[in-house]
Amino acid sequence: MFVAARFTPAMPTTRAPRRSPRLAASARRLAPSGTSAPARDLLSFSRHPFRIVPSTTAAGAGAVPASARRAASARIRANASDADADADDAPVNADALLREMADTSDLGKRGELFFVGQMILLLCVAFPPIDLGEDVQMNLSGNSFFDPLIGLALIALAGLLLTRGVRDLGNSLTPFPKPRGDNVLKTKGAYAATRHPMYSGLVFGSFGLALATGSPVRTFFAAVLTFLLNEKAATEELFLEEMHGKETYEAYSKTTPRLVPNVQGLGALLEEAAGGALVKDSFGGGGEKKEGGDDE
């Protein structure tokens, strides 16, 4: 009588990875006394001849695919770039600016006299100390109608240069010719049109007010202010060359004028200002665009 024997297939056994006896001995020597075997395994190395990684006991499921590492690196670089852009576009710190103006530790070395003279001349342009009467009026165009229009256009241009200059300069803003210690050389935005857009704005605004009012006294003080600001800009540029390097600043100076904006840079500012107004209208003054609008 035959007895049927049950056939049980042999289960494959998992072989432990072979380790070099020399590496295992090194791991035992490096491990402190009393270290368990799994902990010593962490000190061993895989059999791969070209890379040093933990053995299968430790590597396991913790490996990160190369594609995931590349994606994470790209996100880190993008976040760093955004952080740098945010730092450049940060609004002016008014408290830091006031503290700098009140600081007397470096008095006389920052060009304070330029700032004092600038403020006096601006007050003289706004409030002429001499009144020549209505009989003495300036009429450059020969038509009393055009001079006020030209003056208003210059005042509008001055407002654009001043506001963009302050915004683009950010926390590097200072009223003195000597730049702040954390100064960043700006070459874009308003500073692509002129190296000193705020000085240009003060000059255009002063002459614009003189034309709009037909005041020869204002015209005289505007001319004196232009001379002073040109000298202040020249002094400031010496500091900037010392801080950022003469070759770097000279390369910037060759493409960007000191006070009179170039056509390309000024056109870009006007286009951006007009485009911003159009976008605001297309959004209806709100944060979301109206339905049916075309993307531009």
Side-chain angles (χ1 to χ4, degrees), residues 36-258:
S36 61
R40 285 198 303 269
D41 287 342
L42 294 176
L43 297 174
S44 63
F45 303 95
S46 71
R47 294 180 298 161
H48 197 289
F50 298 107
R51 59 178 177 174
I52 301 175
V53 297
S55 65
T56 54
T57 306
V64 180
S67 59
R69 291 197 300 269
R70 288 194 296 268
S73 300
R75 286 195 297 270
I76 292 173
R77 289 193 297 270
N79 292 336
S81 301
D82 294 341
D84 293 340
D86 293 340
D88 291 339
D89 296 337
V92 178
N93 189 336
D95 293 337
L97 181 61
L98 292 176
R99 286 196 302 268
E100 182 189 4
M101 295 178 64
D103 184 15
T104 58
S105 60
D106 206 15
L107 187 64
K109 300 179 181 179
R110 298 174 296 180
E112 291 88 351
L113 290 179
F114 282 109
F115 174 66
V116 173
Q118 170 186 325
M119 296 306 298
I120 292 175
L121 290 173
L122 285 173
L123 287 174
C124 291
V125 171
F127 308 102
I130 302 174
D131 185 9
L132 300 180
E134 297 181 358
D135 295 336
V136 182
Q137 292 289 321
M138 183 178 60
N139 189 1
L140 295 180
S141 64
N143 190 323
S144 59
F145 178 75
F146 288 114
D147 279 4
L149 292 181
I150 298 174
L152 292 176
L154 289 177
I155 292 174
L157 177 60
L160 175 63
L161 290 172
L162 285 169
T163 54
R164 281 300 306 269
V166 171
R167 191 184 79 178
D168 293 341
L169 191 57
N171 281 324
S172 296
L173 178 66
T174 176
F176 307 122
K178 185 177 180 179
R180 296 174 58 172
D182 56 351
N183 175 269
V184 177
L185 182 61
K186 304 292 184 178
T187 59
K188 297 181 180 180
Y191 292 86
T194 170
R195 302 199 296 270
H196 305 276
M198 286 181 284
Y199 298 165
S200 302
L202 294 176
V203 170
F204 287 136
S206 298
F207 278 109
L209 182 60
L211 283 173
T213 58
S215 172
V217 178
R218 285 193 171 101
T219 303
F220 169 77
F221 285 111
V224 178
L225 177 65
T226 302
F227 173 79
L228 178 70
L229 291 177
N230 184 69
E231 293 299 316
K232 182 181 179 182
T235 303
E236 182 177 336
E237 289 173 359
L238 294 177
F239 287 114
L240 291 172
E241 287 181 0
E242 181 180 356
M243 178 175 290
H244 301 290
K246 187 174 182 180
E247 294 182 357
T248 300
Y249 197 81
E250 283 184 351
Y252 169 55
S253 302
K254 289 179 181 179
T255 58
T256 311
R258 176 178 290 174

